[in-house]
Amino acid sequence: MITVNNLTKRFGDLVAVNDISFAIRKGEITGLLGPNGAGKTTTLRMLTCYLAPDAGSVVVGDYLASMNPIEVRRIIGYLPESAPLYADMIVYDYLWYVGQIREIPAETLPTRIREIANVCGLAEVMHKNIGDLSKGYKQRVGLAHAMIHDPEILILDEPTSGLDPNQIVEIRNVIKEIGKRKTVILSTHILSEVEATCDRVIIIDRGKIAADSTTRELTEGGDTGNSVTLRVSGVEFGTLADAIRRLDGVSDIREAVDREGLTAANVLTGTASDVRPSIFRLIADKGWTLYEMKQEQQTLENIFRKLTRGGEHEA
């Protein structure tokens, strides 16, 4: 559906997007995740033909974006972080106006407005001025704007920025419902947003792709490693650590606090391999007593912290 090849964008000496490539399949909800300044917004602006890349290409559907920007815009709906709304218009009139810009025939536009109002949960506020709405409802109007022409692809830049927890859940549910029928790209730095909404994650840091995987594969290990929690008796931590560090797949072991006075440790692995059988055999052979051994599933937060270093400039 979308193919990005060697995409690069510079602003003076700043390389905001640095030779990135990825492909997004039809029907996916993809999270573009990264710290502030990572290059997320710049990437989306190139996908939507708002910015021209300095190098590389974007293909959307059957169209090369640099050669067919109008055709690309016809099949994309884009909601920027700050929705471009006219505060003095009522919601219905605003959607009518946007529908006319999108060249929706006048005889079908009222039906389309009703449909999109139901999808975005706007039926109760269609008669109100946009300026009088809560930020959550304004985001819904922005979604309706992006979807009024029934695009195949929906691109959302920080769609829940500035919303309260209840509004975040409401917008998240709308996005998940939309994702059942359309290809969605969701840019955010809110980790819970990605875990709750997205099928796939692309992590971008300092303009380069740091990870690209399904949400499940990323949190179940991938190449980021795992952590195993141990509680053992009959051995001091130093002796335990020396023995475990010799096992294949172990990258480090750190001492932990245990309220019962046992020797507790966190064993870190460099890969997704399961080192628990090796640890169990070691402890049994040494005659130590194993009270607990548990492999901790990676959280998206831990993975994000490992793969990114944070940004200094908004890009």
Side-chain angles (χ1 to χ4, degrees), residues 3 49 56-72:
T3 304
C49 303
S57 64
V58 176
V59 177
V60 180
D62 298 326
Y63 302 109
L64 180 64
S66 60
M67 301 296 293
N68 305 279
I70 300 300
E71 287 80 1
V72 168

Side-chain angles (χ1 to χ4, degrees), residues 17-78:
V17 177
N18 189 0
D19 194 34
I20 66 171
S21 299
F22 59 86
I24 296 175
R25 294 174 292 275
K26 186 174 182 178
E28 283 186 328
I29 302 180
T30 300
L32 186 62
L33 181 63
N36 289 333
K40 304 185 301 297
T41 294
T42 301
T43 298
L44 296 189
R45 287 176 176 174
M46 288 188 284
L47 295 185
T48 57
C49 303
Y50 181 83
L51 289 177
D54 294 318
S57 64
V58 176
V59 177
V60 180
D62 298 326
Y63 302 109
L64 180 64
S66 60
M67 301 296 293
N68 305 279
I70 300 300
E71 287 80 1
V72 168
R73 289 175 179 141
R74 289 186 191 278
I75 61 175
I76 283 180
Y78 177 42

